[in-house]
Amino acid sequence: MRGMDDNITPGSGLTKEEKLQSIFEKYSDMLKAKSQRWYFATGSKWDKRKIERFLKYFCIPMKLDDTVAFLDTTIFKSSKEGLLFTKEGIVVKEPLNKLYYLKYSKIKDAELEEEYNDAGYLTDSKIIIHLKDETERIVFDYYIRKHFFVDYINEVVKFLASYEPKHV
């Protein structure tokens, strides 16, 4: 039974956390490349170990209960690179780059920027996360399906905007 202080999503009967989980589940199969595998925080012991290994390896001060799923993007599944989806944001470790955290509450929106050559072939595409402080972050996209990732981020941000206090 839910406590009195739980945030219930209007009209759905779900808590804020449950609604965020349902948005993730809606996109999870579409987000990853076919060769990749999700490791879920509510999954098997093996799944939980993969997530805990990532948290421990990078000394991330987070508990398994704060996470949703991990997409290991390493070739040999070493849990040293990938995307860790949490209840509050996404921890990203790109190849040859530093680890960073995209907190949902700090994101304004996401977009996919694509460039085509004169023959009409796609030559470049990148995911750009626009933050509320007017900065941008380009997210690596080698192992995720970009359009679905952008849609996922924008849906989460739109949902969370309904919880922000309204300014009069």
Side-chain angles (χ1 to χ4, degrees), residues 37 45 60-61 67 82 90 120 125-126 131 135 142 148:
R37 180 176 183 272
K45 282 184 183 180
I60 299 170
T67 66
I90 304 170
S125 68
K126 55 189 166 191
L131 303 172
T135 60
Y142 308 113
F148 294 113

Side-chain angles (χ1 to χ4, degrees), residues 44-129:
S44 68
K45 282 184 183 180
W46 176 250
D47 284 10
K48 293 174 185 176
R49 273 192 239 142
K50 287 296 241 180
I51 294 170
E52 288 171 340
R53 183 181 295 159
F54 183 81
L55 293 171
K56 188 175 182 179
Y57 185 79
F58 292 106
C59 302
I60 299 170
M62 194 176 289
K63 296 178 184 173
L64 183 64
D65 292 343
D66 299 328
T67 66
V68 176
F70 174 61
L71 182 64
D72 186 346
T73 59
T74 59
I75 294 171
F76 298 110
K77 306 299 175 226
S78 65
S79 299
K80 294 181 181 176
E81 293 173 359
L83 298 161
L84 178 67
F85 288 76
T86 73
K87 295 175 181 174
E88 300 291 324
I90 304 170
V91 179
V92 181
K93 173 56 178 97
E94 303 173 342
L96 306 173
N97 284 321
K98 292 182 179 182
L99 181 88
Y100 59 91
Y101 184 52
L102 295 168
K103 193 167 184 175
Y104 295 134
S105 63
K106 306 265 186 209
I107 298 173
K108 183 167 57 173
D109 65 6
E111 72 172 312
L112 180 62
E113 188 176 283
E114 296 178 327
E115 295 176 17
Y116 294 88
N117 64 15
D118 293 337
Y121 292 105
L122 181 66
T123 57
D124 187 31
S125 68
K126 55 189 166 191
I127 297 170
I128 302 172
I129 305 291

Side-chain angles (χ1 to χ4, degrees), residues 1-8 15-16 163:
M1 186 168 157
R2 294 186 181 101
M4 293 300 288
D5 58 342
D6 286 344
N7 295 323
I8 303 295
T15 66
K16 179 179 173 183
Y163 279 90

